Amino acid sequence: EQAYLDEKGVEVEMKLYGGDGLVFIGNKACGVENLTMDDVRAIYRGQITNWAELGGVDAPIRVLYRDSQSGSQRLFEKMLWGDEPIPDYEALGFQRLDEMSTIVGECLYSPYTIGYSVMTYLNDVYGEEDLLAFTLDGVEAKPENIANGAYLLATKGYVVIRANEGQDSPARRLYDWFGSTICDEILTSNGVTPIHE
């Protein structure tokens, strides 16, 4: 986005307001609680197909993914593959689901499934006893690990306005509001981790 704005000659102000994270989820029945990035890549390449290969129960891994146009799928592919070729999930026999809620539901009620979600979306279902948010390389996806950068798949959110916005414009007032105590409280209550530079 910054490169595009530079190309168009648009000067902006931006500030960091919060963070989130991509979380791999499953069911506690699989017998695995921690995955490495290499494990996740191997699962989504079809190279690891049974939970027993990861120290869990002897059961096939049912792999879920979303439509290529969904924001979570694009985030997943960017964070997991970077510039590497993206596997053909359909050819690998993985199951595509249209809604994030469906992935969470399948992981909750299907014991040998793996999927993913953004952390804020899981905020309301973390209390479900069988739902498992895998630690990633031994680090939990929780607000303090998002804020301090310890969680590998953390994201950062910025608020951006044109640099020439007037001091009393609605855009400037909203921009200035981000970072306030009340803003941080609202973000926290909605599962977003406030972060400031």
Side-chain angles (χ1 to χ4, degrees):
E1 289 87 353
Q2 184 64 59
Y4 177 78
L5 292 169
D6 291 344
E7 177 188 319
K8 297 297 182 184
V10 177
E11 293 186 27
V12 298
E13 290 180 36
M14 67 172 63
K15 66 177 163 182
L16 177 64
Y17 70 85
D20 203 342
L22 184 71
V23 183
F24 289 94
I25 56 176
N27 189 292
K28 291 181 181 176
C30 74
V32 175
E33 294 184 359
N34 180 66
L35 296 171
T36 67
M37 285 292 289
D38 288 341
D39 292 338
V40 174
R41 289 188 185 103
I43 290 169
Y44 277 90
R45 283 188 187 115
Q47 297 166 337
I48 293 178
T49 60
N50 192 299
W51 289 110
E53 296 173 69
L54 298 166
V57 299
D58 184 8
I61 301 173
R62 179 175 170 232
V63 182
L64 307 178
Y65 69 102
R66 289 202 62 204
D67 182 275
S68 62
Q69 296 307 306
S70 77
S72 59
Q73 182 69 19
R74 289 194 305 272
L75 178 66
F76 159 78
E77 290 178 348
K78 178 182 175 184
M79 296 187 106
L80 201 62
W81 307 117
D83 295 329
E84 295 178 35
I86 297 170
D88 184 339
Y89 308 121
E90 185 177 1
L92 289 166
F94 301 162
Q95 186 175 358
R96 181 174 62 84
L97 299 176
D98 293 331
E99 301 293 331
M100 185 59 67
S101 59
T102 310
I103 287 185
V104 174
E106 288 296 311
C107 289
L108 180 58
Y109 299 112
S110 180
Y112 308 119
T113 301
I114 187 170
Y116 53 86
S117 177
V118 288
M119 195 171 86
T120 51
Y121 190 85
L122 291 177
N123 205 34
D124 294 334
V125 291
Y126 262 132
E128 295 285 353
E129 189 171 318
D130 292 330
L131 186 66
L132 173 66
F134 292 100
T135 58
L136 192 60
D137 288 328
V139 180
E140 290 181 69
K142 57 184 184 178
E144 54 265 38
N145 291 333
I146 299 294
N148 66 25
Y151 187 70
L152 290 175
L153 299 182
T155 63
K156 292 181 177 179
Y158 292 84
V159 60
V160 182
I161 61 170
R162 289 179 177 268
N164 61 0
E165 279 291 339
Q167 289 304 310
D168 291 329
S169 74
R172 173 71 64 184
R173 293 198 331 251
L174 180 60
Y175 180 85
D176 291 343
W177 178 80
F178 274 89
S180 67
T181 302
I182 187 73
C183 174
D184 286 355
E185 289 172 1
I186 291 170
L187 291 173
T188 301
S189 70
N190 285 282
V192 177
T193 303
I195 308 175
H196 307 289
E197 291 178 322

